[in-house]
Amino acid sequence: MSFDFNAYLNRIGIAKPETTLAGLSELQQAQLSAIPFENINPLLGLLPDLETVALMDKIIAKRRGGYCFELNSLFGHALDELRFAYRPILARVRMGRSEGGPRLHLAFIVEAEGEPWLVDVGFGGPSHYRPLRLNTEQEQIQDHNRFRLRREADSGETVLERLQDDGWFALYSFDLSRVQRCDLEAANLVCTTWDQSLLSQNLLVCRNTCAGWVQLFNTRFSQFIGGEQISTAVEGASHLQALLNEQFDIEIDDNQLVLLANRLALAGH
């Protein structure tokens, strides 16, 4: 099965956008709002399938989410349909550290209105939800959030940072090295099987909503609204299932729920 653009648009709840910066922004925001980041399969030891048929079945037909290689691969098909010029990049996740680890995060540089923009629908954290202009180090404001892309001389990388109360927080860094399909397959395998990979050892589910950012990290559910964080503990498998359904629009079968609850050492129903 090839990529079904109409089914994709129905899944994210918009009509076909224009091949403009405004259309690109609409597309990015719509996918982030409709399709959650989730690593349930990697946490259960299931290698995500990056083939188009698998992405359409899991994310579109079964209305699941995915992690960066799945979500951005799906988004890439939409960029193709709209005839955007773009290139994939592989980034090093930093999350506040001075340097990142292996290149295990997929994002895109997309051309729009004669300029390159950083676009990403697959980062498991509170990152940008509209395109960021690449060729500037000035702050870029998105609602109540401030981002910047800082050139780092020592590493030769560009660092994506988000302003927090205590200063600039590094999310990830990247360069413009050519990315091949084999690079994605290798990074996908490492993310799923390497015991030092965050996503092979921890549950992470995230979604942009009209009210704010929601996140489930292992057994803690958090809502980020207006700059404030409200967190609660997950109280058993049934509570986990309710959170997945109500907050992230994810449905998993009973067998997957049991496996996931056991992995998280949660009590039964």
Side-chain angles (χ1 to χ4, degrees):
M1 179 173 60
S2 61
F3 180 69
D4 186 334
F5 192 36
N6 288 329
Y8 168 82
L9 292 174
N10 288 336
R11 175 76 168 92
I12 65 174
I14 62 171
K16 181 181 178 180
E18 298 292 327
T19 306
T20 61
L21 178 59
L24 179 63
S25 181
E26 180 186 14
L27 192 71
Q28 180 179 1
Q29 291 180 82
Q31 180 166 328
L32 281 168
S33 296
I35 304 176
F37 178 102
E38 55 104 335
N39 69 319
I40 294 172
N41 284 10
L43 187 61
L44 298 181
L46 302 173
L47 181 67
D49 190 335
L50 305 185
E51 295 300 323
T52 306
V53 61
L55 298 175
M56 291 297 298
D57 179 61
K58 180 188 177 189
I59 301 174
I60 305 303
K62 295 179 179 176
R63 300 185 66 83
R64 284 278 303 276
Y67 75 158
C68 71
F69 297 110
E70 298 167 289
L71 298 177
N72 276 317
S73 292
L74 184 71
F75 191 76
H77 288 300
L79 294 176
D80 286 333
E81 289 285 339
L82 294 171
R83 300 187 182 279
F84 277 104
Y86 68 93
R87 63 185 298 176
I89 57 170
L90 280 174
R92 304 180 190 274
V93 175
R94 293 199 179 192
M95 292 306 288
R97 298 187 298 273
S98 60
E99 62 180 29
R103 291 183 173 91
L104 297 179
H105 177 65
L106 173 66
F108 293 120
I109 302 298
V110 184
E111 296 288 331
E113 299 188 0
E115 291 189 77
W117 302 81
L118 177 64
V119 182
D120 190 351
V121 295
F123 187 66
S127 187
H128 63 294
Y129 37 88
R130 294 193 288 270
L132 290 173
R133 181 179 281 108
L134 186 63
N135 292 332
T136 180
E137 293 192 12
Q138 294 182 342
E139 292 183 19
Q140 300 185 54
I141 300 173
Q142 298 188 354
D143 301 320
H144 300 294
N145 298 286
R146 294 174 181 266
F147 300 94
R148 72 179 182 186
L149 290 163
R150 175 177 58 85
R151 276 72 164 186
E152 189 174 70
D154 289 346
S155 67
E157 296 178 336
T158 297
V159 186
L160 170 61
E161 298 179 321
R162 179 175 180 266
L163 187 61
Q164 300 189 158
D165 291 340
D166 57 352
W168 288 101
F169 183 85
L171 298 173
Y172 59 77
S173 60
F174 60 90
D175 59 26
L176 300 181
S177 299
R178 180 169 175 259
V179 175
Q180 301 182 119
R181 176 70 182 197
C182 61
D183 296 319
L184 300 182
E185 295 288 356
N188 185 38
L189 181 64
V190 170
C191 277
T192 304
T193 61
W194 187 33
D195 62 5
Q196 296 184 51
S197 165
L198 174 77
L199 300 180
S200 72
Q201 304 298 312
N202 300 275
L203 175 66
L204 180 58
V205 189
C206 313
R207 185 183 183 191
N208 278 333
T209 72
C210 57
W213 179 261
V214 291
Q215 175 182 289
L216 178 62
F217 184 71
N218 289 328
T219 59
R220 179 153 297 273
F221 172 69
S222 300
Q223 295 174 291
F224 301 84
I225 302 174
E228 295 186 5
Q229 178 178 347
I230 303 171
S231 298
T232 57
V234 180
E235 300 174 349
S238 59
H239 187 201
L240 173 63
Q241 185 176 46
L243 285 171
L244 290 174
N245 290 346
E246 296 165 11
Q247 297 293 335
F248 304 99
D249 195 26
I250 294 173
E251 292 188 9
I252 58 176
D253 60 37
D254 289 342
N255 181 58
Q256 289 173 317
L257 179 63
V258 169
L259 292 173
L260 188 58
N262 288 341
R263 184 67 194 266
L264 298 175
L266 287 170
H269 292 269

